[in-house]
């Protein structure tokens, strides 16, 4: 059995520790909806000082892949959603699931069904013809096992309640009722002895002492089926909260174009984890009019009552705005690290130091890390620089070719390499040459950055340092 629920008896009575879990099926990457589910479960556990588990539901042996498991783990780590204890791999617990099916069988709460594929097909067709959903008719429920056809391996089915109703008080959807006659004797164990998804989820949630299940509302109907197992075993079901799915900006189901991408795609697009956390939080949870909510604040505030009942709409513009905010706030060294990684300079400490110094001038001008890396690239480019056409045109213009030797001579003699002094020198040069400041600054920008756009050029000069700046000036093309 897994880790027991921790009991906190400090107030003289027992308080159950909140235990949540994220239970992805590793059949695809960690998509944005899954990341939000993970975030809500993580926040709920952290808010209550509880436990957050990661359970990989890898029972579908054909569709589960190691690459997907890795992507889920990497995605959660990148998002900063740390789980407690070891990862639970559902497939490894199949013997335990089968054991519970056997217990239900022994207790007369489940039975062996020997229906053939043809019989089930007939039932399906009859239901279709009547315009009803397929429901197994329970023909082996009370039949004498002596009637079992020879050589047929049975499945194990649960005995669904025949009358009354099941009521689930959902943390988001409120009270939801289903007439029990709609429930069928679902399969717990297949004829090859493997457990079904419904059985595995319930047994694992029970054994892991999960107190709160927060998941997408596509699982709401499963809850009623899962309740049959809890009730038959005499187990207390966890508290359920089913969160509405994420839609595209047009209200339609979220598609790739709308942002239904893996978390790694957001990382590659240059979003910061803090921004994505804030965005995902607001995508379905609210606290008054607050839009910018730090993770610390989110842990303090998060509750089930703040989860909205209607589907939220994915909106890249909002995500970009939030990302801009977190970029401006971010620590320069941290940002420089992200940029260096994107530029393939993660192990170059000189480049890292230079980028860190450059961040204050760069970070307010970029929407995301990718843009930031593009804008910062010239700082750490190896000479000879690559020149954009417009920059090259400035450098080869006759007036620049005439002026450049003077610029080089003046700066070579400079002692003070700070932006203000460098600008002062440019003004002096412009005056003595009878040109405007731009006629000096533009060639400087072109020669030092290879481009016609950059942060303030004297700041750039200072950050590059005299040696590198002079080398770039001398190497600038003149033809
Ligand atoms: N493995 C299921 C899924 O990925 C989730 C099961 C659950 O949360 O109960 O959709």
């Amino acid at each position: 059995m897994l880790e027991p629920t921790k009991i906190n008896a400090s107030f003289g009575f027992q308080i159950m520790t909140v235990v949540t879990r994220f239970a992805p099926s590793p059949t695809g990457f960690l998509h944005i909806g899954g990341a939000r589910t993970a975030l809500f479960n993580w926040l709920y556990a952290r808010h209550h000082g509880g436990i957050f588990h990661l359970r990989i539901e890898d029972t579908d042996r054909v569709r589960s892949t190691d690459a997907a498991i890795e992507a889920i783990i990497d995605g959660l780590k990148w998002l900063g959603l740390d789980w407690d204890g070891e990862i639970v791999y559902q497939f490894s617990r199949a013997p335990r699931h089968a054991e519970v099916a056997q217990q239900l069988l022994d207790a007369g709460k489940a039975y062996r069904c020997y229906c053939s594929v043809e019989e089930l097909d007939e039932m399906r067709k009859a239901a279709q013809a009547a315009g009803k959903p397929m429901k197994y008719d329970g023909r082996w429920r009370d039949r004498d096992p002596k009637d079992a056809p020879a050589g047929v391996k049975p499945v194990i089915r649960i005995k669904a309640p025949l009358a009354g109703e099941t009521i689930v008080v959902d943390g988001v959807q409120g009270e939801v009722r289903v007439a029990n006659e709609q429930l069928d004797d679902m399969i717990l164990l297949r004829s090859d002895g493997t457990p079904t998804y419904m059985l595995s989820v319930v047994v694992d949630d029970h054994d892991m002492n999960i107190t709160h299940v927060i998941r997408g509302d596509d699982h709401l109907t499963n809850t009623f089926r899962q309740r049959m197992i809890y009730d038959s075993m005499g187990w207390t079901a966890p508290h359920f909260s089913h969160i509405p799915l994420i839609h595209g900006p047009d209200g339609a189901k979220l598609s790739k174009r709308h942002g239904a991408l893996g978390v790694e795609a957001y990382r590659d697009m240059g979003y910061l984890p803090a921004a994505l956390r804030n965005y995902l939080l607001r995508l379905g949870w609210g606290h008054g009019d607050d839009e910018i909510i730090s993770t610390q604040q989110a842990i303090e505030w998060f509750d089930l009552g703040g989860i909205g009942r209607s589907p939220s709409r994915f909106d890249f513009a909002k995500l970009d705005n939030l990302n801009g905010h977190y970029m401006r706030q971010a620590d320069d060294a941290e940002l420089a690290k992200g940029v260096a990684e994107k530029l393939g300079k993660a192990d170059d400490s000189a480049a890292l130091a230079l980028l860190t110094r450059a961040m204050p001038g760069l970070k307010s001008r970029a929407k995301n890390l990718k843009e930031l890396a593009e804008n910062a690239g010239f700082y750490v480019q190896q000479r000879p620089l690559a020149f954009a056409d417009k920059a090259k045109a400035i450098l080869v213009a006759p007036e620049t070719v005439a002026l450049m030797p003077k610029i080089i001579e003046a700066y070579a003699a400079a002692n003070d390499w700070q932006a203000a002094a460098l600008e002062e020198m440019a003004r002096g040069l412009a005056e003595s040459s009878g040109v405007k400041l731009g006629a000096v600054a533009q060639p400087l920008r072109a020669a030092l950055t290879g481009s016609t756009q950059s942060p303030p050029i004297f700041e750039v000069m200072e950050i590059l340092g005299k040696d590198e700046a002079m080398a770039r000036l001398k190497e600038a093309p003149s033809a």
Side-chain angles (χ1 to χ4, degrees), residues 5-279:
T5 302
K6 287 187 186 148
I7 301 295
N8 179 345
S10 57
F11 297 105
F13 54 90
Q14 292 192 332
I15 302 170
M16 201 173 26
T17 299
V18 165
V19 186
T20 65
R21 51 41 163 205
F22 177 49
S25 304
T27 52
F29 294 143
L30 175 59
H31 59 88
I32 207 73
R36 184 187 59 163
T37 300
L39 174 69
F40 284 14
N41 280 285
W42 180 82
L43 282 173
Y44 195 66
R46 295 292 172 256
H47 173 82
H48 288 281
I51 294 170
F52 170 65
H53 285 302
L54 173 59
R55 182 171 76 228
I56 302 286
E57 303 210 314
D58 54 349
T59 45
D60 184 337
R61 303 312 286 165
V62 178
R63 294 175 59 227
S64 297
T65 67
D66 287 345
I69 294 175
E70 214 170 288
I72 290 166
I73 292 173
D74 285 352
L76 290 174
K77 281 189 181 160
W78 178 72
L79 267 174
L81 305 181
D82 54 333
W83 55 91
D84 300 304
E86 298 290 312
I87 300 175
V88 174
Y89 289 89
Q90 189 162 63
F91 179 67
S92 71
R93 295 180 33 81
R96 165 68 181 148
H97 305 151
E99 181 183 286
V100 170
Q102 186 62 45
Q103 275 176 31
L104 287 170
L105 201 58
D106 294 345
K109 305 209 165 175
Y111 61 94
R112 292 193 176 88
C113 162
Y114 295 86
C115 253
S116 66
V117 178
E118 292 73 29
E119 281 177 282
L120 288 169
D121 258 358
E122 264 167 40
M123 261 181 249
R124 196 165 295 119
K125 278 185 194 139
Q128 250 168 21
K132 287 183 180 167
M134 156 75 177
K135 188 178 166 219
Y136 169 73
D137 63 8
R139 65 180 63 172
W140 280 92
R141 185 169 169 132
D142 298 312
R143 200 155 156 189
D144 192 333
K146 280 195 206 117
D147 294 348
V152 175
K153 279 200 177 149
V155 298
I156 295 180
R157 290 182 181 272
I158 195 162
K159 287 186 181 167
L162 299 172
E165 58 177 0
T166 301
I167 303 171
V168 169
V169 181
D170 189 277
V172 176
Q173 316 285 337
E175 195 178 273
V176 190
R177 292 161 181 261
V178 159
N180 287 341
E181 64 192 30
Q182 284 179 29
L183 301 171
D184 73 347
D185 293 354
M186 67 177 177
I187 299 176
L188 300 174
L189 216 56
R190 299 186 192 92
S191 55
D192 63 1
T194 58
T196 57
Y197 162 72
M198 291 298 162
L199 178 64
S200 306
V201 169
V202 170
V203 175
D204 287 351
D205 281 342
H206 171 77
D207 288 0
M208 292 167 78
N209 298 301
I210 303 300
T211 59
H212 292 77
V213 169
I214 306 171
R215 59 187 178 190
D217 66 7
D218 48 337
H219 285 286
L220 181 61
T221 50
N222 287 343
T223 306
F224 292 92
R225 312 184 78 198
Q226 292 170 3
R227 264 286 296 277
M228 295 197 278
I229 305 175
Y230 284 106
D231 294 348
S232 300
M233 286 299 290
W235 292 341
T236 307
H239 181 269
F240 292 98
S241 296
H242 288 91
I243 48 182
L245 299 183
I246 303 171
H247 285 187
D250 52 4
K253 196 170 173 285
L254 198 66
S255 67
K256 281 232 163 83
R257 182 170 56 86
H258 289 141
L261 304 164
V263 162
E264 75 293 338
Y266 290 86
R267 180 181 56 199
D268 295 347
M269 284 187 273
Y271 292 104
L272 296 181
L276 197 55
R277 278 198 300 272
N278 190 156
Y279 181 68

